[in-house]
Amino acid sequence: MNSLDRARAAYHEQFSTAPSAAAFAPGRVEIMGNHTDYNGGFVLPAALDKGTVVLGAPTGNDDILLYAADFRRMAHFSVKTLQPDARNSWASYVLGVVQQLQRRNIPIGGFQAVLASDVPSGSGLSSSAALEVATAFFLKQCFPYELSPMDTARLAQKAENEFVGVQCGILDQFSSVFGQDGSLLFLDCLTLEHDAVKMGRDDIALVVCDSIVKHALTGGDYNTRRAECMAAARHFGKELLREVSWDEFTTRELELPLNERKRVRHILTEDRRVLAMRDAIAGFDTAPIGRLLAEGHASCRDLFENSAPEIDFLVDKAVEIDGCIGAKMTGGGWGGCTINLVHQEAVTQFSDTLAAYYRDATGHEALIYPFRAAQGAHALDL
Ligand code: GLA
């Protein structure tokens, strides 16, 4: 059953009335631009053809009833007192969006909704952003409001920053709102200028490999990385690392503590890789693509230090397999997924071989699947 059908069935079971609104928002894969977003840098993601459905109706009073179909949990809240609930932390992504809308003086009444997703949580594919953005699109149907697509992405990001407490950038929410069928996306996170980047060839597959090693960005490593980047920018008298030039950095890098020096070197080189990758993807020149993916991964592993042994193993093995153009980690880090670019005709052989290597080495089953860059968030017909 797809997420919409699961949400429909669960809604009927839990509320025994008919829903009046539904929305879908996708997860994302970051092809290049790791942790560059909150540094005002460049990113090159794609919306995934998997995502989250929020389906429901206004309650006509102050009650918020949320049912997570994927783990069969119901939670109750009130629009008057929005508080995180430690036993139902998944609900924070919804409540955070309600709070942000309220802060913009958009009146949001009570509602009951079912959430269903086919983006595994903690896998680095932005299940959180998919839920936030789907909530914003769902609430827009229940309590109509005007907000531009970029403001919707920013609102969802703020919900995560302020209600959930993860100091994420805008990459995930931007990708979930702006996804384009068949194209990657390019975003300048400083100016918010963006564009679709069509792949120059259609015989190359984007393949996700989920290590099933879970990461929890709420665990603190993510916020620590952000704080290190901000401290380094301040050292150069700048607000964001984007404003620090390569010359400025290399002239004065020894003034920084070693950890900050490594983080800055990653961010500044990663920004250059995003621009190079955008051109290489559009022309689809496989040699630079493979090299950029390898350099990007090494930079995460050695300089940003947000990879994991399982992820390094998957990247190292992937590039040994025939038909693989390149591989790297994707997302926040410390587990989750790799992204692999693979010649279309080699995808099955690639996936089977990589799964077998991983099984032999770890005893775990990796989830490996090709995906199509997909459309962003939208309302669903009921
Ligand atoms: C997470 C965050 C994003 C971004 C990526 C790393 O997905 O939510 O804002 O920083 O990590 O690129």
Side-chain angles (χ1 to χ4, degrees):
M1 244 201 286
N2 65 30
S3 301
L4 178 58
D5 290 339
R6 279 192 296 120
R8 267 206 199 99
Y11 192 86
H12 183 72
E13 193 184 286
Q14 296 299 319
F15 300 112
S16 55
T17 55
S20 61
F24 168 85
R28 64 95 193 91
V29 174
E30 157 222 295
I31 316 293
M32 194 59 82
N34 195 260
H35 285 249
T36 47
D37 58 352
Y38 55 79
N39 288 296
F42 306 118
V43 291
L44 190 72
L48 197 59
D49 52 4
K50 292 178 184 295
T52 298
V53 169
V54 176
L55 170 146
T59 46
N61 54 36
D62 290 340
D63 295 341
I64 300 179
L65 307 177
L66 299 176
Y67 183 71
D70 302 326
F71 27 96
R72 300 175 177 281
R73 280 191 69 97
M74 179 73 86
H76 296 234
F77 304 92
S78 160
V79 278
K80 296 277 184 231
T81 50
L82 298 171
Q83 293 290 344
D85 172 0
R87 287 163 307 143
N88 294 298
S89 51
W90 49 273
S92 287
Y93 302 97
V94 175
L95 301 181
V97 170
V98 174
Q99 182 182 65
Q100 288 300 323
L101 289 166
Q102 288 177 341
R103 287 187 178 165
R104 281 164 185 72
N105 296 321
I106 296 170
I108 302 293
F111 58 95
Q112 55 193 32
V114 166
L115 326 172
S117 186
D118 53 10
V119 187
S121 70
S123 61
L125 299 174
S126 287
S127 57
S128 333
L131 178 51
E132 290 149 7
V133 172
T135 300
F137 275 66
F138 163 75
L139 290 174
K140 190 174 188 163
Q141 293 169 66
C142 298
F143 310 100
Y145 62 83
E146 289 299 323
L147 215 51
S148 73
M150 192 56 88
D151 282 341
T152 306
R154 283 206 284 219
L155 177 137
Q157 178 201 2
K158 261 183 155 274
E160 185 147 347
N161 294 163
E162 293 177 12
F163 204 89
V164 180
V166 175
Q167 298 308 314
C168 64
I170 199 168
L171 165 71
D172 307 346
Q173 294 80 4
F174 161 79
S175 312
S176 188
V177 172
F178 285 87
Q180 287 232 3
D181 194 24
S183 287
L184 307 191
L185 306 166
F186 171 79
L187 173 70
D188 177 334
C189 299
L190 191 61
T191 62
L192 298 181
E193 279 166 322
H194 55 92
D195 215 350
V197 181
K198 195 128 191 66
M199 281 173 63
R201 279 166 59 168
D202 55 12
D203 57 346
I204 307 293
L206 298 161
V207 179
V208 163
C209 174
D210 187 345
S211 68
I212 63 148
V213 175
K214 295 284 179 193
H215 76 153
L217 295 187
T218 39
D221 288 327
Y222 185 93
N223 288 351
T224 304
R225 285 295 179 281
R226 182 168 181 151
E228 289 170 330
C229 291
M230 295 304 154
R234 272 197 306 278
H235 183 83
F236 290 101
K238 305 282 163 53
E239 205 178 316
L240 296 167
L241 286 180
R242 168 73 176 278
E243 299 156 314
V244 177
S245 72
W246 181 251
D247 281 353
E248 213 173 351
F249 167 61
T250 49
T251 313
R252 297 181 50 199
E253 65 174 307
L254 291 177
E255 296 168 11
L256 294 172
L258 180 60
N259 59 333
E260 288 179 24
R261 208 183 308 157
K262 287 177 164 182
R263 310 307 179 234
V264 181
R265 187 169 282 272
H266 165 75
I267 296 297
L268 298 191
T269 55
E270 184 79 350
D271 263 344
R272 294 174 170 190
R273 279 189 290 273
V274 174
L275 298 177
M277 189 64 143
R278 180 181 61 173
D279 295 345
I281 285 273
F284 221 98
D285 196 352
T286 53
I289 289 176
R291 181 176 48 76
L292 289 163
L293 289 167
E295 288 174 6
H297 183 73
S299 185
C300 288
R301 184 191 60 212
D302 303 334
L303 298 176
F304 215 68
E305 298 179 288
N306 63 337
S307 187
E310 293 86 348
I311 296 293
D312 295 339
F313 176 87
L314 286 168
V315 167
D316 291 347
K317 286 294 175 194
V319 294
E320 288 176 6
I321 303 170
D322 277 352
C324 180
I325 296 162
K328 72 180 279 288
M329 60 163 280
T330 185
W334 301 283
C337 293
T338 64
I339 171 74
N340 306 264
L341 268 67
V342 181
H343 288 283
Q344 198 78 54
E345 73 281 357
V347 168
T348 308
Q349 173 70 17
F350 169 82
S351 308
D352 293 349
T353 310
L354 190 56
Y357 280 143
Y358 195 61
R359 192 180 307 121
D360 289 349
T362 66
H364 296 308
E365 285 300 326
L367 300 173
I368 306 178
Y369 49 88
F371 75 96
R372 182 176 166 73
Q375 191 199 344
H378 49 274
L380 293 169
D381 291 334
L382 284 168

